[in-house]
Amino acid sequence: MFDYQRSIKSALLFAALVCVGFSCSDSSNSSVERVKVSGTVLYNGDPLSSAKILFISETPEGLIKSSGIIRHGIYQIPASGGPPVGKARVEIVPRTPELEELTQIKAEIKSGKMLSNPLDLNIPNIYNKNSQLTAMVSRDGQNSFEFKLESK
């Protein structure tokens, strides 16, 4: 006879161990010095309404990804989650706004504060999965980067 309760407990234990394993794997990067980054992103000359920015750094410890939200063309990633010092590949990817944001976005589009609807945004692959964008992140620098994207 199949014991459903034991099976469910085993599955939950396995899931918990997997989660612990993944969170522990990131702790090896805790010795890596991370820094704050910020800047602007323009799309066809206008501030990018809403997207996600990723800094992907190759370190001796492995790949380290840092991400932030671009809103009205501005992004800021605090040092606690920022990229490590050194060269980083940068990806800018579309982001679906949270449900709470949709009402605000619609109002901003209607009032003219937001120039483009983030739901209609089609960022070319040359800025995300095939990105050639880079940033040289420094320990003592301002680490403010501007990226200018074109839809063509």
Side-chain angles (χ1 to χ4, degrees), residues 50 94-98 101 119:
S50 180
R95 171 185 167 268
T96 303
E98 299 293 324
E101 292 177 277
L119 300 175

Side-chain angles (χ1 to χ4, degrees), residues 40-45 48 51-56 70 88-94 121-134 146-152:
T40 58
V41 181
L42 301 177
Y43 186 72
N44 293 328
L48 186 60
K52 186 174 183 178
I53 188 166
L54 294 152
F55 286 78
I56 304 167
I70 302 165
R89 190 169 143 275
V90 177
E91 293 183 6
I92 299 171
V93 296
L121 190 61
N122 184 18
I123 299 173
N125 288 340
I126 60 169
Y127 301 118
N128 43 67
K129 67 181 179 180
N130 298 326
S131 180
Q132 299 290 316
L133 299 173
T134 61
E146 179 181 65
F147 299 100
K148 296 179 181 179
L149 316 182
E150 296 293 329
S151 61
K152 305 168 192 169

Side-chain angles (χ1 to χ4, degrees), residues 26-133:
D26 192 44
S27 66
S28 66
N29 295 331
S30 63
S31 64
V32 175
E33 178 185 4
R34 294 174 176 251
V35 295
K36 176 179 115 175
V37 293
S38 62
T40 58
V41 181
L42 301 177
Y43 186 72
N44 293 328
D46 295 322
L48 186 60
S49 55
S50 180
K52 186 174 183 178
I53 188 166
L54 294 152
F55 286 78
I56 304 167
S57 306
E58 200 164 327
T59 69
E61 290 81 6
L63 286 180
I64 297 177
K65 293 182 181 181
S66 304
S67 67
I69 302 299
I70 302 165
R71 189 96 162 97
H72 299 292
I74 298 170
Y75 68 91
Q76 294 182 351
I77 304 174
S80 60
V85 171
K87 186 176 181 180
R89 190 169 143 275
V90 177
E91 293 183 6
I92 299 171
V93 296
R95 171 185 167 268
T96 303
E98 299 293 324
L99 186 58
E100 302 85 39
E101 292 177 277
L102 288 176
T103 305
Q104 180 183 357
I105 287 170
K106 287 178 183 177
E108 289 177 2
I109 290 170
K110 191 173 183 178
S111 71
K113 289 182 182 177
M114 188 176 284
L115 301 173
S116 63
N117 186 339
L119 300 175
D120 296 336
L121 190 61
N122 184 18
I123 299 173
N125 288 340
I126 60 169
Y127 301 118
N128 43 67
K129 67 181 179 180
N130 298 326
S131 180
Q132 299 290 316
L133 299 173

